[in-house]
Amino acid sequence: MAVMKTVYTTGEAAKICKVSQQTIIRCFDTGQLKGFRVPGSRFRRIPREQLFIFMRENNIPTDALESQLRKILLVDDDAEIVSLIQDMLERDGRFEVRAANNGFDAGMMVKEYHPDLIVLDVMLPDINGKEVCQRVRSDKTMDDVRIICISGMVEENRINDLIANGANEFLRKPFDVEILQKRICALLDMEPTR
């Protein structure tokens, strides 16, 4: 059973409303969007019911708020691995999963799908993972997208290079899908299943 989120960051609210984070912050600061500041910090938080009211008042479709599924994009040219990961995430019930088997398709899908997290094979037929990381990180609207790189390669300097270019984590193939699921949940601030 999916756990419904009750409080959102300005980044999450921006993504749900399909506006910039600055727009959400401005609406919060002017009182159009009700919420609270985290005590002792400058962070703003928006309760779910306030975000819903704000969306209704501004004619923003509320379906993104109602669906609550976290969006995952799998990018790997190995259909077996994609299928394995996809099955695991769909069984969890809290994820919507799409897949691409090359860097070009992945680039197109990242733009239109705006996933919460990308599981990215480093060795793609047309482009390498480092380049995909750089492209995602060069787009400010994608700042909230998490990236887990996967590969059979073992060179420590190449792994460090991926992290330096925007990957949040690296998992070496072969890996246990349950470990991947735990890493995904940790990066998305979700409770792990079990």
PDB file of all heavy atoms in Angstrom, residues 128-131 133-134 149 153 155-167:
ATOM      1  N   ASN A 128      27.542   7.667 -23.452  1.00  0.00           N
ATOM      2  CA  ASN A 128      27.891   7.090 -22.160  1.00  0.00           C
ATOM      3  C   ASN A 128      27.150   7.779 -21.017  1.00  0.00           C
ATOM      4  O   ASN A 128      26.631   8.887 -21.167  1.00  0.00           O
ATOM      5  CB  ASN A 128      29.419   7.073 -21.934  1.00  0.00           C
ATOM      6  CG  ASN A 128      30.006   8.458 -21.746  1.00  0.00           C
ATOM      7  OD1 ASN A 128      29.434   9.312 -21.071  1.00  0.00           O
ATOM      8  ND2 ASN A 128      31.156   8.672 -22.347  1.00  0.00           N
ATOM      9  N   GLY A 129      27.096   7.095 -19.902  1.00  0.00           N
ATOM     10  CA  GLY A 129      26.350   7.561 -18.741  1.00  0.00           C
ATOM     11  C   GLY A 129      26.790   8.913 -18.226  1.00  0.00           C
ATOM     12  O   GLY A 129      25.975   9.718 -17.781  1.00  0.00           O
ATOM     13  N   LYS A 130      28.088   9.170 -18.316  1.00  0.00           N
ATOM     14  CA  LYS A 130      28.629  10.449 -17.842  1.00  0.00           C
ATOM     15  C   LYS A 130      27.988  11.601 -18.619  1.00  0.00           C
ATOM     16  O   LYS A 130      27.600  12.624 -18.053  1.00  0.00           O
ATOM     17  CB  LYS A 130      30.152  10.466 -18.013  1.00  0.00           C
ATOM     18  CG  LYS A 130      30.799  11.778 -17.663  1.00  0.00           C
ATOM     19  CD  LYS A 130      32.293  11.712 -17.930  1.00  0.00           C
ATOM     20  CE  LYS A 130      32.926  13.080 -17.943  1.00  0.00           C
ATOM     21  NZ  LYS A 130      34.346  13.020 -18.266  1.00  0.00           N
ATOM     22  N   GLU A 131      27.862  11.410 -19.925  1.00  0.00           N
ATOM     23  CA  GLU A 131      27.264  12.442 -20.777  1.00  0.00           C
ATOM     24  C   GLU A 131      25.789  12.656 -20.428  1.00  0.00           C
ATOM     25  O   GLU A 131      25.309  13.791 -20.406  1.00  0.00           O
ATOM     26  CB  GLU A 131      27.413  12.023 -22.244  1.00  0.00           C
ATOM     27  CG  GLU A 131      27.576  13.205 -23.168  1.00  0.00           C
ATOM     28  CD  GLU A 131      27.913  12.767 -24.589  1.00  0.00           C
ATOM     29  OE1 GLU A 131      28.831  11.928 -24.756  1.00  0.00           O
ATOM     30  OE2 GLU A 131      27.254  13.269 -25.499  1.00  0.00           O
ATOM     31  N   CYS A 133      24.435  12.127 -17.468  1.00  0.00           N
ATOM     32  CA  CYS A 133      24.465  12.852 -16.186  1.00  0.00           C
ATOM     33  C   CYS A 133      24.693  14.346 -16.424  1.00  0.00           C
ATOM     34  O   CYS A 133      23.987  15.187 -15.861  1.00  0.00           O
ATOM     35  CB  CYS A 133      25.576  12.327 -15.275  1.00  0.00           C
ATOM     36  SG  CYS A 133      25.249  10.706 -14.566  1.00  0.00           S
ATOM     37  N   GLN A 134      25.665  14.675 -17.270  1.00  0.00           N
ATOM     38  CA  GLN A 134      25.985  16.080 -17.552  1.00  0.00           C
ATOM     39  C   GLN A 134      24.796  16.804 -18.171  1.00  0.00           C
ATOM     40  O   GLN A 134      24.500  17.943 -17.806  1.00  0.00           O
ATOM     41  CB  GLN A 134      27.190  16.174 -18.499  1.00  0.00           C
ATOM     42  CG  GLN A 134      28.502  15.809 -17.840  1.00  0.00           C
ATOM     43  CD  GLN A 134      29.643  15.691 -18.858  1.00  0.00           C
ATOM     44  OE1 GLN A 134      29.447  15.398 -20.032  1.00  0.00           O
ATOM     45  NE2 GLN A 134      30.862  15.913 -18.372  1.00  0.00           N
ATOM     46  N   CYS A 149      23.713   5.383 -11.139  1.00  0.00           N
ATOM     47  CA  CYS A 149      24.403   4.754 -12.267  1.00  0.00           C
ATOM     48  C   CYS A 149      24.679   3.297 -11.937  1.00  0.00           C
ATOM     49  O   CYS A 149      25.020   2.963 -10.798  1.00  0.00           O
ATOM     50  CB  CYS A 149      25.716   5.470 -12.555  1.00  0.00           C
ATOM     51  SG  CYS A 149      25.469   7.065 -13.366  1.00  0.00           S
ATOM     52  N   MET A 153      31.585  -2.033 -14.824  1.00  0.00           N
ATOM     53  CA  MET A 153      32.955  -1.519 -14.756  1.00  0.00           C
ATOM     54  C   MET A 153      33.396  -1.360 -13.292  1.00  0.00           C
ATOM     55  O   MET A 153      32.572  -1.172 -12.405  1.00  0.00           O
ATOM     56  CB  MET A 153      33.083  -0.182 -15.485  1.00  0.00           C
ATOM     57  CG  MET A 153      32.421   0.959 -14.771  1.00  0.00           C
ATOM     58  SD  MET A 153      32.732   2.470 -15.661  1.00  0.00           S
ATOM     59  CE  MET A 153      32.077   3.643 -14.517  1.00  0.00           C
ATOM     60  N   GLU A 155      36.579   0.475 -12.406  1.00  0.00           N
ATOM     61  CA  GLU A 155      37.619   1.485 -12.178  1.00  0.00           C
ATOM     62  C   GLU A 155      37.100   2.583 -11.269  1.00  0.00           C
ATOM     63  O   GLU A 155      36.135   3.272 -11.584  1.00  0.00           O
ATOM     64  CB  GLU A 155      38.086   2.125 -13.502  1.00  0.00           C
ATOM     65  CG  GLU A 155      38.697   1.157 -14.477  1.00  0.00           C
ATOM     66  CD  GLU A 155      37.664   0.603 -15.449  1.00  0.00           C
ATOM     67  OE1 GLU A 155      36.454   0.882 -15.266  1.00  0.00           O
ATOM     68  OE2 GLU A 155      38.059  -0.118 -16.374  1.00  0.00           O
ATOM     69  N   GLU A 156      37.763   2.734 -10.127  1.00  0.00           N
ATOM     70  CA  GLU A 156      37.354   3.701  -9.106  1.00  0.00           C
ATOM     71  C   GLU A 156      37.324   5.132  -9.653  1.00  0.00           C
ATOM     72  O   GLU A 156      36.409   5.893  -9.358  1.00  0.00           O
ATOM     73  CB  GLU A 156      38.316   3.599  -7.917  1.00  0.00           C
ATOM     74  CG  GLU A 156      37.687   3.847  -6.568  1.00  0.00           C
ATOM     75  CD  GLU A 156      36.410   3.063  -6.261  1.00  0.00           C
ATOM     76  OE1 GLU A 156      36.387   1.816  -6.412  1.00  0.00           O
ATOM     77  OE2 GLU A 156      35.427   3.703  -5.868  1.00  0.00           O
ATOM     78  N   ASN A 157      38.317   5.495 -10.498  1.00  0.00           N
ATOM     79  CA  ASN A 157      38.361   6.871 -11.021  1.00  0.00           C
ATOM     80  C   ASN A 157      37.174   7.172 -11.924  1.00  0.00           C
ATOM     81  O   ASN A 157      36.667   8.287 -11.964  1.00  0.00           O
ATOM     82  CB  ASN A 157      39.695   7.149 -11.735  1.00  0.00           C
ATOM     83  CG  ASN A 157      39.901   6.269 -12.953  1.00  0.00           C
ATOM     84  OD1 ASN A 157      39.427   5.132 -13.008  1.00  0.00           O
ATOM     85  ND2 ASN A 157      40.627   6.784 -13.929  1.00  0.00           N
ATOM     86  N   ARG A 158      36.683   6.165 -12.664  1.00  0.00           N
ATOM     87  CA  ARG A 158      35.521   6.377 -13.536  1.00  0.00           C
ATOM     88  C   ARG A 158      34.245   6.530 -12.718  1.00  0.00           C
ATOM     89  O   ARG A 158      33.356   7.298 -13.069  1.00  0.00           O
ATOM     90  CB  ARG A 158      35.392   5.242 -14.549  1.00  0.00           C
ATOM     91  CG  ARG A 158      36.561   5.314 -15.544  1.00  0.00           C
ATOM     92  CD  ARG A 158      36.422   4.506 -16.781  1.00  0.00           C
ATOM     93  NE  ARG A 158      35.200   4.708 -17.535  1.00  0.00           N
ATOM     94  CZ  ARG A 158      34.714   3.788 -18.346  1.00  0.00           C
ATOM     95  NH1 ARG A 158      35.319   2.634 -18.505  1.00  0.00           N
ATOM     96  NH2 ARG A 158      33.608   4.022 -19.027  1.00  0.00           N
ATOM     97  N   ILE A 159      34.180   5.784 -11.613  1.00  0.00           N
ATOM     98  CA  ILE A 159      33.020   5.904 -10.717  1.00  0.00           C
ATOM     99  C   ILE A 159      33.015   7.303 -10.108  1.00  0.00           C
ATOM    100  O   ILE A 159      31.989   7.989 -10.096  1.00  0.00           O
ATOM    101  CB  ILE A 159      33.057   4.813  -9.619  1.00  0.00           C
ATOM    102  CG1 ILE A 159      32.883   3.424 -10.259  1.00  0.00           C
ATOM    103  CG2 ILE A 159      31.970   5.060  -8.564  1.00  0.00           C
ATOM    104  CD1 ILE A 159      33.179   2.257  -9.345  1.00  0.00           C
ATOM    105  N   ASN A 160      34.174   7.763  -9.636  1.00  0.00           N
ATOM    106  CA  ASN A 160      34.287   9.109  -9.057  1.00  0.00           C
ATOM    107  C   ASN A 160      33.925  10.178 -10.088  1.00  0.00           C
ATOM    108  O   ASN A 160      33.324  11.193  -9.755  1.00  0.00           O
ATOM    109  CB  ASN A 160      35.703   9.348  -8.513  1.00  0.00           C
ATOM    110  CG  ASN A 160      36.005   8.450  -7.327  1.00  0.00           C
ATOM    111  OD1 ASN A 160      35.100   7.978  -6.645  1.00  0.00           O
ATOM    112  ND2 ASN A 160      37.281   8.195  -7.090  1.00  0.00           N
ATOM    113  N   ASP A 161      34.293   9.936 -11.349  1.00  0.00           N
ATOM    114  CA  ASP A 161      33.993  10.853 -12.431  1.00  0.00           C
ATOM    115  C   ASP A 161      32.470  10.971 -12.628  1.00  0.00           C
ATOM    116  O   ASP A 161      31.942  12.059 -12.840  1.00  0.00           O
ATOM    117  CB  ASP A 161      34.672  10.346 -13.714  1.00  0.00           C
ATOM    118  CG  ASP A 161      34.832  11.439 -14.756  1.00  0.00           C
ATOM    119  OD1 ASP A 161      34.852  12.627 -14.372  1.00  0.00           O
ATOM    120  OD2 ASP A 161      34.933  11.098 -15.952  1.00  0.00           O
ATOM    121  N   LEU A 162      31.770   9.840 -12.553  1.00  0.00           N
ATOM    122  CA  LEU A 162      30.302   9.846 -12.683  1.00  0.00           C
ATOM    123  C   LEU A 162      29.672  10.662 -11.558  1.00  0.00           C
ATOM    124  O   LEU A 162      28.771  11.470 -11.798  1.00  0.00           O
ATOM    125  CB  LEU A 162      29.745   8.408 -12.646  1.00  0.00           C
ATOM    126  CG  LEU A 162      29.973   7.570 -13.895  1.00  0.00           C
ATOM    127  CD1 LEU A 162      29.667   6.114 -13.609  1.00  0.00           C
ATOM    128  CD2 LEU A 162      29.105   8.080 -15.043  1.00  0.00           C
ATOM    129  N   ILE A 163      30.134  10.440 -10.329  1.00  0.00           N
ATOM    130  CA  ILE A 163      29.614  11.166  -9.168  1.00  0.00           C
ATOM    131  C   ILE A 163      29.896  12.669  -9.345  1.00  0.00           C
ATOM    132  O   ILE A 163      29.023  13.505  -9.121  1.00  0.00           O
ATOM    133  CB  ILE A 163      30.240  10.641  -7.846  1.00  0.00           C
ATOM    134  CG1 ILE A 163      29.990   9.126  -7.664  1.00  0.00           C
ATOM    135  CG2 ILE A 163      29.750  11.434  -6.639  1.00  0.00           C
ATOM    136  CD1 ILE A 163      28.581   8.664  -7.394  1.00  0.00           C
ATOM    137  N   ALA A 164      31.095  12.986  -9.793  1.00  0.00           N
ATOM    138  CA  ALA A 164      31.471  14.393 -10.004  1.00  0.00           C
ATOM    139  C   ALA A 164      30.609  15.047 -11.084  1.00  0.00           C
ATOM    140  O   ALA A 164      30.393  16.260 -11.066  1.00  0.00           O
ATOM    141  CB  ALA A 164      32.942  14.480 -10.386  1.00  0.00           C
ATOM    142  N   ASN A 165      30.093  14.252 -12.009  1.00  0.00           N
ATOM    143  CA  ASN A 165      29.272  14.791 -13.096  1.00  0.00           C
ATOM    144  C   ASN A 165      27.770  14.689 -12.837  1.00  0.00           C
ATOM    145  O   ASN A 165      26.970  14.868 -13.756  1.00  0.00           O
ATOM    146  CB  ASN A 165      29.643  14.113 -14.417  1.00  0.00           C
ATOM    147  CG  ASN A 165      30.904  14.726 -14.988  1.00  0.00           C
ATOM    148  OD1 ASN A 165      30.875  15.813 -15.532  1.00  0.00           O
ATOM    149  ND2 ASN A 165      32.037  14.044 -14.807  1.00  0.00           N
ATOM    150  N   GLY A 166      27.400  14.378 -11.597  1.00  0.00           N
ATOM    151  CA  GLY A 166      25.985  14.474 -11.250  1.00  0.00           C
ATOM    152  C   GLY A 166      25.287  13.215 -10.800  1.00  0.00           C
ATOM    153  O   GLY A 166      24.127  13.269 -10.394  1.00  0.00           O
ATOM    154  N   ALA A 167      25.940  12.047 -10.876  1.00  0.00           N
ATOM    155  CA  ALA A 167      25.288  10.836 -10.368  1.00  0.00           C
ATOM    156  C   ALA A 167      25.218  10.935  -8.847  1.00  0.00           C
ATOM    157  O   ALA A 167      26.139  11.428  -8.198  1.00  0.00           O
ATOM    158  CB  ALA A 167      26.067   9.597 -10.779  1.00  0.00           C
TER     159      ALA A 167
END
